[in-house]
Amino acid sequence: DTHHVQGIDFDERHVWVTSVDKAQRKGYLQEFSIATGEHLRTVDVAEGDRFHPGGISADGEFLWVPVAEYRRDSSSVIQKRSVRTLELQCEFDVADHIGCIAIALGFLIGANWDSRDFYVWDRTGRLLRKVPNPTANAYQDIKFVDGRLVASGLLPGRNGAIDWLDYPSLRLIRRVTVGQTSRGVPYTSEGMAIRGDRILLLPEDSPSRLFQFSFVAPAFQLKK
């Protein structure tokens, strides 16, 4: 059980999920067992008009969670939360709707509504640069892996795709197109996380189903 799913990340034992309840103006960060799917805990991450959490990233010790107003060109707060307790450690404000975030060594990469622009900050929230998205993919969840940005989203026509982008140029290196779930939802509609050769996708709202794929380099063929 979730609400309108936004982002996911995971480690060896846990899956973390963000979702939004627009009617109740609530945003949630949930933790589940990766082995059994058992719900372990939920925290409300909303802050006033900012109740729309986005794509998240975990760095082993902390979870980075963008929470925005539910409208384009609005405002957000980037929350840093403890993986152990889910408690808020610190946060910084951004004058845009940030829909997803990736943690890298020494810096953060965020993207706004439909990822029209990328933002790069240091870990204190100081803006380092802002870069237009060089692709037509409306990224919903992003991760920084092995020096590259891995970003999943929807192409024009609502076709799903996962892209590998060079950093810092953000040049498109590879693209894997994906199909749809049995409910007709593109696999990359919402949450995506990648570790090693495992890709987890959480495209559907409640009741949400978690899909696990593996990819084989260098062709990056997805195998369910």
Side-chain angles (χ1 to χ4, degrees), residues 24-173:
Q24 298 299 320
R25 296 172 63 85
K26 296 287 187 181
Y28 298 103
L29 171 63
Q30 295 176 280
E31 183 181 80
F32 298 89
S33 164
I34 198 169
T36 66
E38 176 189 2
H39 173 255
L40 301 176
R41 52 186 170 172
T42 296
V43 295
D44 185 353
V45 298
E47 297 187 12
D49 289 336
R50 297 167 173 173
F51 59 89
H52 187 297
I56 61 177
S57 284
D59 64 7
E61 186 177 2
F62 300 107
L63 280 164
W64 297 83
V65 183
V67 185
E69 297 178 59
Y70 208 143
R71 58 188 178 90
R72 189 187 296 271
D73 302 323
S74 56
S75 69
S76 307
V77 61
I78 309 300
Q79 300 180 350
K80 176 184 175 183
R81 291 182 172 269
S82 166
V83 164
R84 185 176 58 84
T85 66
L86 302 187
E87 292 180 353
L88 182 65
Q89 305 297 300
C90 61
E91 60 186 21
F92 63 88
D93 293 318
V94 178
D96 199 352
H97 176 112
I98 301 302
C100 50
I101 197 164
I103 180 69
L105 186 62
F107 59 93
L108 302 164
I109 304 173
N112 57 10
W113 187 291
D114 283 343
S115 295
R116 295 172 303 169
D117 298 296
F118 289 105
Y119 291 83
V120 182
W121 307 277
D122 67 17
R123 290 199 178 203
T124 68
R126 182 171 65 93
L127 181 64
L128 303 178
R129 62 185 183 125
K130 180 181 178 182
V131 183
N133 182 352
T135 81
N137 200 340
Y139 300 126
Q140 303 300 305
D141 214 346
I142 59 176
K143 302 293 184 286
F144 198 78
V145 181
D146 297 330
R148 295 171 176 170
L149 191 67
V150 184
S152 69
L154 298 172
L155 299 169
R158 290 192 60 79
N159 297 308
I162 303 173
D163 290 347
W164 277 256
L165 305 177
D166 180 54
Y167 191 84
S169 71
L170 296 177
R171 176 178 58 88
L172 179 64
I173 300 171

Side-chain angles (χ1 to χ4, degrees), residues 147-223:
R148 295 171 176 170
L149 191 67
V150 184
S152 69
L154 298 172
L155 299 169
R158 290 192 60 79
N159 297 308
I162 303 173
D163 290 347
W164 277 256
L165 305 177
D166 180 54
Y167 191 84
S169 71
L170 296 177
R171 176 178 58 88
L172 179 64
I173 300 171
R174 288 189 174 92
R175 170 168 291 166
V176 175
T177 56
V178 302
Q180 299 182 345
T181 73
S182 59
R183 299 179 191 167
V185 179
Y187 280 114
T188 54
S189 288
E190 299 296 348
M192 179 277 301
I194 175 172
R195 297 199 184 278
D197 65 351
R198 302 171 68 192
I199 296 179
L200 299 189
L201 300 172
L202 194 70
E204 302 165 337
D205 294 343
S206 187
S208 301
R209 296 181 294 172
L210 182 66
F211 297 89
Q212 177 174 300
F213 294 82
S214 62
F215 72 86
V216 180
F220 288 86
Q221 299 289 330
L222 285 189
K223 182 178 180 180

